[in-house]
Amino acid sequence: SLALIDEIMEALNETQWKPWKKQQKFNETKFRNELIDVWHFVINLTLISGMSADDVIIAFKEKNMENHERQDNGY
């Protein structure tokens, strides 16, 4: 989990997330590479939890539906 958080932070560091900083560069290649590292750790955690690809798809669809309902109801 800590490695995942670190990879997310590394991806964030490749973006222009500091509105107060004048000189910011977006390195799309490095950003994408960090995202692949994030996916790597997410997939490993998913496998460790015993979830199958079908489990992930079902859970994602259910959570996505819940999120849309929340947005529609002013959550």
Side-chain angles (χ1 to χ4, degrees):
S1 295
L2 292 175
L4 173 59
I5 292 167
D6 185 57
E7 294 300 339
I8 292 169
M9 293 307 300
E10 287 181 10
L12 181 61
N13 285 334
E14 297 301 333
T15 66
Q16 302 169 358
W17 68 275
K18 297 178 182 176
W20 60 88
K21 189 174 178 183
K22 293 182 181 185
Q23 296 295 325
Q24 296 186 73
K25 295 178 184 176
F26 177 66
N27 186 324
E28 186 175 352
T29 301
K30 286 184 179 181
F31 178 73
R32 288 180 176 202
N33 286 336
E34 296 303 339
L35 286 181
I36 295 303
D37 289 341
V38 169
W39 274 104
H40 175 82
F41 285 107
V42 168
I43 291 168
N44 282 338
L45 289 172
T46 302
L47 293 173
I48 289 169
S49 75
M51 293 178 77
S52 69
D54 288 337
D55 294 333
V56 171
I57 292 167
I58 290 167
F60 181 87
K61 287 180 179 180
E62 288 174 356
K63 183 61 177 175
N64 193 44
M65 196 165 52
E66 179 183 324
N67 288 342
H68 281 281
E69 288 174 5
R70 286 178 171 175
Q71 290 173 358
D72 293 343
N73 294 315
Y75 178 77

